[in-house]
Amino acid sequence: MTVPLLSLDGVSLNFGEIDVLRDVTLDVMPGEFVSILGPSGAGKSTIFKLLTGAATACGGEVRFSGRPLASNERPFAFMPQRDALMPWRRILDNTTLGLEVQGVPRKEARKRVEPLFEEFGLSGFERHYPRALSGGMRQRAALLRTIVQDRPVLLLDEPFGALDALTRNQMQIWLEAMWLKHRWTIILITHDVREAVMLSDRIHLLSPRPASVEQTITVPLPRPRFSNPATRAEAAAIETSILDFLLSPQIQK
Amino acid sequence: MSSSVFRMRSRMLRDHLFRALPALIAAFSLLFAWEIYCRSSGISETTLPAPSQVLFQAWLHREALWLNTVPTLRATLLGFSLSLVLAFVLSIVIDFSALMRQALFPIFIASQTLPLVAIAPLVVLWFGFGLLPKILLVALVTFFPMLVALAEGYASTEREVEDLLASMGASRWKRFRLARLPSALPYFFAGLRISITYAVVAAIFAEYAGAARGLGIYMLNAKNNFRPDLVLAAVLVSSLLTLLLFSATWAVQRLAAPWIDSSSGRGR
């Protein structure tokens, strides 16, 4: 059996009096697309805060490739809820931000990012300021900024939450295609059950606060999923069972 | 191609003129009413000179006016530069240290409560009739608005942008340079526009309290010689000076931070 790339083992965290995470245990395999699904305010984003170093656990252990994760280790590239593009930087300079922070010279950073603009549907917009871009394009630029950091794991925090329904669907289809091509290891935080089912290999269901993993669901559907009507029908059935579970009284408490 | 650019430019110019038209009409109506009043009421020229008289005298005394404008402009620019440097350095200090913020901010606020009428003659008494007291007074008046603008600008930084930088492993200084400082630029320019109008007035006030040359001392002398027309001529010059500096801030902003969307702040 392969070692999980990332595992959380009994992780707990509290902000003052409030228990946010209680005994969270989950793992992510290399090249796997995993979703963390839970109600709003459950503490989904807190798990990412823990991984990016913005918060510290008060119990449990985080392991990366089988070893405990050191506090200065950063194997994660993080994409926040809203795109967080800097309005004063052109799109090209926004996408190189992570490399710049790493100390890569600007010229080389640009050379590494520029060939990717085509694939991300952004070619021709390198010199535009973010305010000139549509919501979907901004989100793709934010994802480009995330992947060029070349980290082993991508952390996507509700990346399509702020988009309109149609654009959100297009972005999901696009993300699946990109993932099939590149096989990044992705952890996606979402409260959209359909999004989780259509995109993930596995889904970790979180309980309301204090959050713990209630159930882990494997989604055995063939890919690509969006183009196949039969797959979409099966996905709808899984979606219903997850919703039933999330809405059941013992979860609602 | 070039002709279409030209056409676009000339259309923009026309749009600007149209937008300025109501203000121009209002201003000219006021001046016209003033002129009519002076001519019909027979009021003495040494009490209320007509606008035409002010303009005419301004032209006659253009050399003296210019000679007195230069020191005022110099005091304004030097004092304002000093205030910008101080505000910038101290804004960084209080952004990085909560303790320094608690220690210094009350002093900055207190500096704003000093009445200029009382303080200006004292500063002249301490530092003489030269350039230095003017520079200090201009800096005193403009420092606080600039500092507040910068501090609020830093605080306006989006939480998510800072979290993002932190997730990338950026140090506190890098977060400041890459996120907080550029976030403050729109606030900085808004503060700049407010303080630059104070700056000219402060310089004139400082000269009023004692100077060899400058618009302030020119006004004082003109008043003492019962020449309200020349007082108003100097007022006209100081207004033009302020307007010039004010529009210069827009030009600097457009060059330094073209990404700021200023259309919202200017009524359509």
Side-chain angles (χ1 to χ4, degrees):
Chain A
M1 207 192 111
T2 41
V3 182
L5 187 59
L6 176 74
S7 53
L8 273 66
D9 193 3
V11 169
S12 302
L13 185 148
N14 48 306
F15 292 135
E17 302 277 277
I18 309 159
D19 280 336
V20 183
L21 305 178
R22 179 180 290 168
D23 203 15
V24 171
T25 300
L26 57 86
D27 58 13
V28 181
M29 305 306 281
E32 194 180 25
F33 197 129
V34 165
S35 289
I36 296 175
L37 181 65
S40 291
K44 302 188 294 288
S45 298
T46 309
I47 296 179
F48 279 5
K49 280 200 177 127
L50 196 79
L51 296 176
T52 56
T56 326
C58 54
E61 192 175 43
V62 179
R63 278 195 301 277
F64 186 75
S65 289
R67 291 173 294 103
L69 185 73
S71 61
N72 59 347
E73 214 178 342
R74 295 187 187 279
F76 309 106
F78 169 59
M79 178 173 166
Q81 266 176 34
R82 283 178 294 155
D83 52 56
L85 294 174
M86 297 175 165
W88 54 88
R89 286 184 164 231
R90 296 170 197 275
I91 293 302
L92 183 62
D93 298 325
N94 261 296
T95 54
T96 58
L97 184 69
L99 297 174
E100 216 174 294
V101 171
Q102 283 171 36
V104 177
R106 177 172 285 201
K107 227 182 186 171
E108 204 210 307
R110 288 185 170 181
K111 221 185 275 170
R112 263 155 73 178
V113 176
E114 264 168 343
L116 298 165
F117 268 71
E118 177 82 58
E119 204 180 353
F120 278 73
L122 293 167
S123 48
F125 288 88
E126 291 87 344
R127 314 231 144 253
H128 284 63
Y129 285 105
R131 69 161 190 248
L133 269 65
S134 69
M137 291 179 90
R138 293 175 64 114
Q139 229 50 37
R140 287 200 296 273
L143 189 67
L144 178 52
R145 179 189 60 200
T146 314
I147 65 113
V148 293
Q149 295 174 49
D150 212 13
R151 308 282 194 191
V153 183
L154 306 184
L155 308 178
L156 313 183
D157 189 355
E158 292 184 28
F160 310 136
L163 300 176
D164 65 273
L166 194 62
T167 313
R168 183 159 62 230
N169 259 291
Q170 287 167 343
M171 290 295 292
Q172 288 163 353
I173 295 168
W174 175 82
L175 180 62
E176 188 191 34
M178 290 292 279
W179 178 78
L180 285 172
K181 193 170 158 200
H182 297 278
R183 294 288 172 171
W184 301 306
T185 305
I186 294 183
I187 308 178
L188 172 79
I189 281 180
T190 184
H191 54 237
D192 181 338
V193 181
R194 173 167 300 154
E195 179 172 276
V197 173
M198 291 305 279
L199 289 172
S200 327
D201 296 322
R202 282 190 306 147
I203 303 169
H204 295 294
L205 290 182
L206 285 195
S207 66
R209 210 165 59 199
S212 56
V213 177
E214 287 287 340
Q215 203 178 355
T216 299
I217 293 161
T218 305
V219 185
L221 303 174
R223 290 181 189 268
R225 291 174 182 165
F226 285 94
S227 52
N228 185 341
T231 312
R232 287 222 297 272
E234 279 183 69
I238 299 174
E239 190 188 327
T240 310
S241 70
I242 292 176
L243 273 174
D244 284 345
F245 178 76
L246 286 176
L247 298 172
S248 64
Q250 79 267 24
I251 290 300
Q252 289 292 300
K253 271 177 247 184
Chain B
M1 180 68 196
S2 66
S3 81
S4 81
V5 167
F6 176 75
R7 225 177 303 145
M8 214 174 77
R9 285 251 171 91
S10 66
R11 224 183 87 194
M12 267 168 61
L13 192 70
R14 213 181 53 203
D15 284 357
H16 275 294
L17 281 179
F18 263 116
R19 220 172 298 165
L21 207 57
L24 287 174
I25 291 175
F28 273 107
S29 311
L30 274 174
L31 288 174
F32 190 68
W34 177 359
E35 183 81 35
I36 295 291
Y37 176 77
C38 286
R39 286 177 188 230
S40 57
S41 68
I43 191 166
S44 135
E45 264 182 16
T46 51
T47 308
L48 182 69
S52 59
Q53 165 82 359
V54 171
L55 275 178
F56 179 63
Q57 289 301 323
W59 178 250
L60 277 185
H61 293 83
R62 61 189 181 278
E63 212 165 309
L65 277 170
W66 174 247
L67 230 69
N68 285 286
T69 304
V70 175
T72 306
L73 183 61
R74 189 183 299 140
T76 304
L77 291 180
L78 286 174
F80 200 55
S81 308
L82 174 69
S83 140
L84 283 186
V85 172
L86 276 179
F88 185 60
V89 171
L90 286 167
S91 73
I92 295 176
V93 169
I94 63 173
D95 194 60
F96 275 78
S97 159
L99 186 71
M100 290 304 273
R101 187 192 193 94
Q102 283 165 10
L104 295 179
F105 221 79
I107 299 179
F108 299 152
I109 294 172
S111 79
Q112 284 307 287
T113 63
L114 304 175
L116 203 56
V117 190
I119 262 320
L122 284 180
V123 174
V124 171
L125 180 70
W126 297 331
F127 298 100
F129 290 90
L131 193 56
L132 186 62
K134 282 94 189 168
I135 293 177
L136 291 178
L137 280 166
V138 170
L140 176 74
V141 169
T142 57
F143 163 77
F144 188 70
M146 285 318 300
L147 183 90
V148 170
L150 283 168
E152 279 186 16
Y154 300 149
S156 77
T157 311
E158 258 187 86
R159 230 351 246 289
E160 300 212 308
V161 172
E162 285 210 76
D163 286 353
L164 174 72
L165 281 168
S167 84
M168 291 169 170
S171 61
R172 175 73 172 85
W173 172 248
K174 257 190 187 160
R175 292 210 300 273
F176 178 80
R177 193 170 56 80
L178 292 173
R180 295 179 77 81
L181 190 58
S183 295
L185 275 177
Y187 290 77
F188 170 79
F189 282 109
L192 204 62
R193 278 188 275 283
I194 294 172
S195 344
I196 199 84
T197 58
Y198 294 169
V200 180
V201 176
I204 287 173
F205 216 102
E207 288 163 357
Y208 216 85
R213 213 174 256 153
L215 284 176
I217 201 73
Y218 185 88
M219 287 173 193
L220 188 65
N221 288 337
K223 189 205 80 174
N224 290 341
N225 293 331
F226 303 104
R227 291 296 301 270
D229 50 346
L230 288 181
V231 175
L232 287 171
V235 167
L236 177 70
V237 172
S238 85
S239 299
L240 289 176
L241 195 62
T242 307
L243 285 175
L244 193 75
L245 292 171
F246 187 81
S247 17
T249 64
W250 284 110
V252 173
Q253 176 182 323
R254 216 158 290 168
L255 282 175
W259 52 272
I260 297 176
D261 188 10
S262 49
S263 57
S264 53
R266 291 196 296 164
R268 230 179 64 84

